[in-house]
Amino acid sequence: MRTGKRGLTTAAITVVCAVTVLAAPGTAFADPNPTPSRAATPSAPAATPGKDLEAVRQKLDKLYRAAAAATEEYNAAEEKAQKQSAEIVELAKKIVKGQEKLDRLQERAGAAARSQYRTGGLPDEAKLVLSDDPGEFLDGTRRVLQGQRATKGLIGELTRTQQDLRAYAADADAQWKKLEANRKAKATAQKKVEKQIAAAEKLESELEKEEKERLERLEREAAAEAQTAWLGSGILKDLKGDATEQGRKAVEYATAQIGKPYQWGAEGPKAFDCSGLTSQAWASAGRALPRTSQAQWKQLRHVDVKDMRPGDLVIYFDDASHVGMYVGDGKVVHAPRPGRSVTIAGAGSMPILGVVRPDA
């Protein structure tokens, strides 16, 4: 059993060390925003005015949306991995404590066995004949019976402790396999993000300065057109909800981040992705939210768009791959995409999937 103790304790320590390495910040990160190197050659393709530049805008939008979806996949895998790491550490602690308890029980069992050996060599009849005091013999017999019952209870506790240790070890093994699976999911999602961003940056790098400026104007015009159509539906006439105290704190935090860059997988304080901004804003107000926009959409209470109030989260696109925080007056604060900063935008400037309310 001493060998078993060393094995379980060593395994527990190894698990904790391994989890620490896997969970260490930055271990799975590469630079997601490499500086694009532009080849200044006459043959570099350039977009032409009009429809071609609009096609570029649509292609960029598609690439960045794909990157956003992959970012939320990465965030979901990261969140699961963090939870599993914590569970493995707790299981390792239970294994160590269980082994210590088992050692103590074994020492007690050994002491009981030695005592029984010393006093159990003669049958009860012989002890009665040899005893000078039958009353003392009977008292001793009662004590022996009590000791036997205690020994039986001790054996039962030993068995249960051994079963607990085996269950903890099995749970730790299962959690470890899940952690490995999520580590691979994170790596796969990271490659997707980087691939989509690299493709978008390559496309943008092929534009001349003037074309980039026109492209930004096209983006603004498309967003303004969508916002105008949304406002034209009369939606603001029905918006009269006031923010709660928690909602105001969340809005204050989110708007204080305006101007900070978008970075996929980031939760601040220097950069954010879309769900990193909303989850941290509500954390500052004392409300823990799911990490991803999809989980926020699935787990938080849905409210009708016409009933939304400042602090509510507006979820965008059919796959719930983007989220912003409503700040009132038909606007949201959000972290748009790589190459952009946290900003205020029209709430209807992107296709709205629905609205959720984080208030407890």
Side-chain angles (χ1 to χ4, degrees), residues 2-306:
R2 292 291 175 186
T3 302
K5 173 191 175 183
R6 286 196 299 272
L8 282 167
T9 304
T10 302
I13 294 170
T14 301
V15 166
V16 174
C17 292
V19 169
T20 303
V21 171
L22 278 175
T27 53
F29 282 86
D31 182 4
N33 295 307
T35 303
S37 58
R38 178 183 171 120
T41 60
S43 60
T48 55
K51 290 185 178 179
D52 287 352
L53 201 55
E54 173 59 21
V56 169
R57 184 193 71 78
Q58 291 178 6
K59 187 173 182 180
L60 282 171
D61 184 61
K62 184 177 180 180
L63 288 169
Y64 281 124
R65 277 199 57 204
T71 295
E72 295 303 89
E73 286 178 27
Y74 178 92
N75 290 338
E78 170 69 9
E79 185 177 39
K80 288 179 182 177
Q82 288 176 353
K83 289 179 180 178
Q84 285 151 4
S85 297
E87 288 172 4
I88 290 172
V89 170
E90 289 304 311
L91 285 168
K93 290 177 181 177
K94 287 180 179 179
I95 289 172
V96 171
K97 289 181 179 178
Q99 185 60 60
E100 290 172 350
K101 180 180 179 181
L102 189 62
D103 289 344
R104 291 193 299 270
L105 290 171
Q106 286 173 334
E107 288 175 5
R108 286 171 54 195
R114 289 191 296 273
S115 175
Q116 188 174 12
Y117 176 78
R118 285 194 301 269
T119 61
L122 293 173
D124 290 344
E125 295 84 352
K127 290 179 184 177
L128 178 59
V129 170
L130 295 173
S131 174
D132 294 330
D133 185 349
E136 183 180 345
F137 166 76
L138 291 174
D139 287 341
T141 302
R142 282 194 293 270
R143 287 195 294 272
V144 168
L145 290 172
Q146 289 172 353
Q148 288 174 343
R149 286 194 293 270
T151 300
K152 186 177 180 180
L154 181 60
I155 292 171
E157 193 171 359
L158 269 167
T159 302
R160 287 192 297 274
T161 302
Q162 289 170 331
Q163 290 172 344
D164 287 344
L165 281 170
R166 285 194 290 270
Y168 295 152
D171 287 347
D173 183 61
Q175 290 300 331
W176 181 264
K177 288 176 181 176
K178 288 180 182 179
L179 181 62
E180 283 292 292
N182 277 303
R183 183 185 64 80
K184 291 176 183 177
K186 281 171 57 180
T188 300
Q190 179 175 339
K191 288 178 182 177
K192 287 182 186 177
V193 174
E194 291 171 344
K195 180 181 178 181
Q196 300 298 333
I197 291 176
E201 289 179 339
K202 182 178 183 298
L203 184 60
E204 287 185 296
S205 73
E206 294 169 349
L207 299 174
E208 300 294 340
K209 180 181 178 181
E210 185 178 318
E211 289 171 328
K212 288 181 181 179
E213 291 172 353
R214 289 206 310 274
L215 181 65
E216 288 187 16
R217 284 199 299 272
L218 282 174
E219 289 178 352
R220 291 194 297 269
E221 287 169 5
E225 184 178 344
Q227 175 72 353
T228 299
W230 183 69
L231 294 175
S233 68
I235 190 69
L236 278 185
K237 294 176 182 176
D238 295 323
L239 291 179
K240 52 193 175 209
D242 293 325
T244 61
E245 183 179 351
Q246 272 190 318
R248 283 193 295 273
K249 287 181 179 178
V251 169
E252 286 171 4
Y253 179 95
T255 53
Q257 312 313 311
I258 289 174
K260 292 184 178 180
Y262 176 102
Q263 180 180 327
W264 70 272
E267 299 178 82
K270 295 182 179 179
F272 296 87
D273 64 19
C274 67
S275 56
L277 177 65
T278 54
S279 60
Q280 288 303 303
W282 271 96
S284 74
R287 175 82 162 98
L289 297 191
R291 173 62 178 88
T292 68
S293 56
Q294 287 97 341
Q296 290 170 0
W297 172 243
K298 288 178 181 177
Q299 297 179 33
L300 300 180
R301 181 162 59 97
H302 290 208
V303 297
D304 198 291
V305 174
K306 70 177 185 299

Side-chain angles (χ1 to χ4, degrees), residues 300-322:
L300 300 180
R301 181 162 59 97
H302 290 208
V303 297
D304 198 291
V305 174
K306 70 177 185 299
D307 295 325
M308 70 179 175
R309 63 193 186 198
D312 288 347
L313 305 184
V314 184
I315 310 295
Y316 293 99
F317 305 111
D318 291 340
D319 58 358
S321 58
H322 191 67

Side-chain angles (χ1 to χ4, degrees), residues 326-342:
Y326 187 65
V327 294
D329 197 27
K331 295 181 174 62
V332 294
V333 57
H334 72 141
R337 65 168 177 81
R340 299 290 185 263
S341 301
V342 176

